[in-house]
Each structure stands twice: as C-alpha cells, then as structure tokens.
Amino acid sequence: MRSMRLFPLLAIIGALVSGAAARAQAVAPAVRIVNAIDENNLVTLKGNTHPSANAKNDRGRVSPDLPMTDLILVLSRDPQQQAAFDRFVASQYEPDSPNFHHWLSPDGVAADFGPSSTDIDFISKWLAGHGFSIGEVTRDRMSIRFSGTAAQVESTFHTEIHNLEVDGVPHISNMSDPQIPAALAPVIKGIASLSDFRAHPMYQLARDYTFAGCASSVDNPQSPGTCYSVTAQDNAVIYNLNPLWSAGICGQGQTIALTEDNNVYTTGTAETTDSDLTTYRSTFGLSGYTSFSFSTVHPGGCTDPGTGADDGEAAIDVEMATAIAPSAKIELISFAGL
C-alpha cells in the first residue's frame, strides 16, 4: 500500500531537513567526468526499461513531437563517497555517536556527499546541447530534472519511445535500456520517468465509519461481521500518543513534508482552505490544535498535477500525518510524473 511510505518518509525528512551536521566523515566531491564525450562510445544503463514494454503490448512508435516533461536523471556517488554517506547516516541514529541527531540539510548533503558542481554543470550542458530544458538540479545534487520531446529522448539516449496498451490502458515507454556516452557513466546512474507507469494506490473507500461484510481470516475467524474504520483517536491509542498530547507535545514547530502526484481535493480557490484535510481535522476533533497550517508547493517549476485519480492517496497521507502530529505544519509537495 503506497500510503505506508509515510513513516519512512518522516525519517528521511528528519535526516535531511533540519539542523547543522557534524562533518568529520564527509568525503569532498571529486570531479569524475574526466574524459571528452564521444557520442559513439556508449554504455547501457541497465534496468531502466519497464517490464510491460514488450512486443505483446507494443502499439507503435509515438509522435516525435510528443512532449516528455519532468524526466529525472538520477546521479550517483563514487563508492568511497557512498560508503562514507552510509556510515554517517547510520551514526545519526547511534546515541553514543557525535553525529547523533545531527541532521544534514539538502545543501549539506550536496557539499559533503554529492557529485561535484563541475560534473553537474558538465552534464547539464550536455543535456542542453541535445535540446533539453533543465528544470531543476536538486539541492542535494543527486538528480537533474529536464524536459524535451520524444525525438530528443530517442536521439540522445538511443532508445525508441512507443505507445503501449496494457490491460486496456494506454501507456508510453522506452522499449530498451537507454545508453549514454561512457564519459558520463561515473556520475549518471539512470533515468526515471521515460515511461508513464506509476505506482497505484491500494486504499479502498469506506463511506461509513462502521460497515458489515468483513472478510474472514485466521486472525478474525468470526468475520464477516461489523468492521470499524481507524480514526485519529484510534491512532492516538495505537501509538500511545495521548500522554504526549496531554503534555502539550503535538508537533508544534515541526513541518511534515509529503510527496504526491496529486493535490488534495479543495472546493476553495486556495489549496490551503476548504480541503479534504480541513474536513478531516474538523470531523475528528483536531481543529483546536494550534500552530497547524497546510500548504501545497510544486518544486522547481514542476507541473501542478491538480486533483485526479490519486487525490484520495494524497488525502490519506496528509490526514495520517496530521492525525499523528495535529499541531505540525503539513506541506504537500505535488508534481506530475512522480
């Protein structure tokens, strides 16, 4: 279930967002692109083709003018750098370590464990030379977002983009693993979003808080019977939050960021009002917790996805976040192509 990524995401946010870091274990980024680019000397980025991109599902090549936006070039650390980064992250959770809870900002990750700015500039110029527009270099310098056309993708990465039909649903995808000049291989790990296959939410809507017809199982042999939806108050009991809330520890002063491919549903003109989240907080008695706020952002000029088939997934994630920390600020980071 994709919404279960919420709690690992909180750990990632904690590791990257706040505070100053002890940097004793940092490895200064070295320039790794040292050879001239030869467009005829290529290496294959293995594992970058969706398994559904096969002859059975193939419906022919896409138009060369098809826009391909929000593509992501995924970058890598050198082995020594990656080993140092892994050690540092592990030490952040060791109480006896001087790095315990010394979190790195994205800029700190870039400075201490990211690819060199020289390599980033070199790759960006290479992409621009093939006609792509650069949307964003992430602050940790671990990915580059870019856009272009299908023709540009095909000529640059030496793979064809085809129309597919999978279980009656149209898709597009590269039909083979992309290739890049060997000179860039020390820094480029792969390319995300060459296809439009996305993760699917697995939630099921329940119109009522109690409902009949639960499926029998080993753990619940007396079902079918009456089922009960989990509410914010249930979470407070399950995770023993009531003592914290009673002591005034409710997430105030903290920000929880969640990445989504849809906005939450709203009836107002602003994404911060009249939303699913507002209704949830009002329905389950969370409106009285102070310092809460909700905002929606689309980073790096990314496309605003609006609301669509996955807005329920976005709603679940922000609702579970506010159910755990009702006074925390909630930031929904949404963009198309996630």
Side-chain angles (χ1 to χ4, degrees):
M1 180 174 180
R2 201 180 66 187
S3 61
M4 291 301 289
R5 69 170 182 266
L6 170 64
F7 297 104
L9 178 62
L10 299 183
I12 293 170
I13 292 166
L16 299 182
V17 170
S18 63
R23 298 186 173 183
Q25 300 179 24
V27 176
V31 175
R32 286 180 282 152
I33 300 176
V34 295
N35 297 318
I37 289 180
D38 179 355
E39 297 285 356
N40 295 313
N41 181 17
L42 304 174
V43 296
T44 300
L45 299 174
K46 296 182 179 180
N48 282 254
T49 304
H50 195 277
S52 295
N54 53 48
K56 174 185 175 182
N57 300 323
D58 191 2
R59 298 298 181 269
R61 207 164 177 174
V62 302
S63 167
D65 297 328
L66 178 73
M68 298 194 68
T69 60
D70 294 328
L71 303 172
I72 300 174
L73 201 64
V74 181
L75 308 182
S76 66
R77 302 179 176 94
D78 67 41
Q80 182 184 9
Q81 218 182 13
Q82 185 63 53
F85 179 74
D86 293 341
R87 289 193 300 269
F88 180 83
V89 171
S91 71
Q92 291 177 305
Y93 296 92
E94 298 171 355
D96 295 334
S97 169
N99 297 323
F100 181 63
H101 285 190
H102 283 222
W103 310 123
L104 281 176
S105 68
D107 297 318
V109 173
D112 292 348
F113 301 107
S116 72
S117 57
T118 300
D119 288 339
I120 294 289
D121 291 343
F122 196 94
I123 295 170
S124 298
K125 290 178 181 177
W126 175 73
L127 288 170
H130 282 273
F132 294 105
S133 60
I134 308 300
E136 178 191 31
V137 177
T138 54
R139 286 173 56 191
D140 64 358
R141 295 208 299 257
M142 293 305 298
S143 63
I144 300 173
R145 185 176 295 276
F146 63 104
S147 299
T149 65
Q152 290 166 335
V153 169
E154 291 184 339
S155 64
T156 304
F157 297 107
H158 308 278
T159 182
E160 294 184 0
I161 308 298
H162 282 218
N163 293 297
L164 305 177
E165 184 177 346
V166 182
D167 296 327
V169 179
H171 289 280
I172 65 167
S173 177
N174 55 303
M175 298 302 290
S176 61
D177 284 338
Q179 295 179 313
I180 59 170
L184 303 178
V187 182
I188 296 177
K189 187 173 185 178
I191 310 168
S193 303
L194 284 182
S195 72
D196 65 354
F197 290 94
R198 303 289 180 260
H200 297 289
M202 297 178 68
Y203 65 84
Q204 295 184 16
L205 291 176
R207 302 294 179 185
D208 302 303
Y209 303 138
T210 61
F211 44 96
C214 300
S216 299
S217 68
V218 174
D219 295 329
N220 298 283
Q222 297 184 14
S223 294
T226 301
C227 300
Y228 302 90
S229 296
V230 176
T231 69
Q233 285 69 31
D234 292 321
N235 281 328
V237 173
I238 293 168
Y239 297 107
N240 198 29
L241 299 176
N242 285 316
L244 294 175
W245 291 356
S246 297
I249 303 173
C250 312
Q252 57 269 42
Q254 303 298 314
T255 299
I256 301 174
L258 299 125
T259 56
E260 308 289 343
D261 61 4
N262 267 230
N263 301 338
V264 296
Y265 177 75
T266 176
T267 58
T269 56
E271 292 170 329
T272 56
T273 59
D274 299 324
S275 68
D276 280 342
L277 183 59
T278 304
T279 302
Y280 181 89
R281 286 176 59 87
S282 174
T283 300
F284 294 110
L286 304 177
S287 298
Y289 288 91
T290 59
S291 80
F292 162 80
S293 66
F294 173 60
S295 60
T296 302
V297 298
H298 316 295
C302 294
T303 304
D304 179 352
T307 54
D310 284 356
D311 63 345
E313 177 74 19
I316 288 173
D317 289 349
V318 297
E319 287 164 6
M320 290 301 98
T322 203
I324 298 297
S327 289
K329 297 178 180 179
I330 306 297
E331 184 176 87
L332 177 66
I333 304 172
S334 65
F335 53 94
L338 178 62

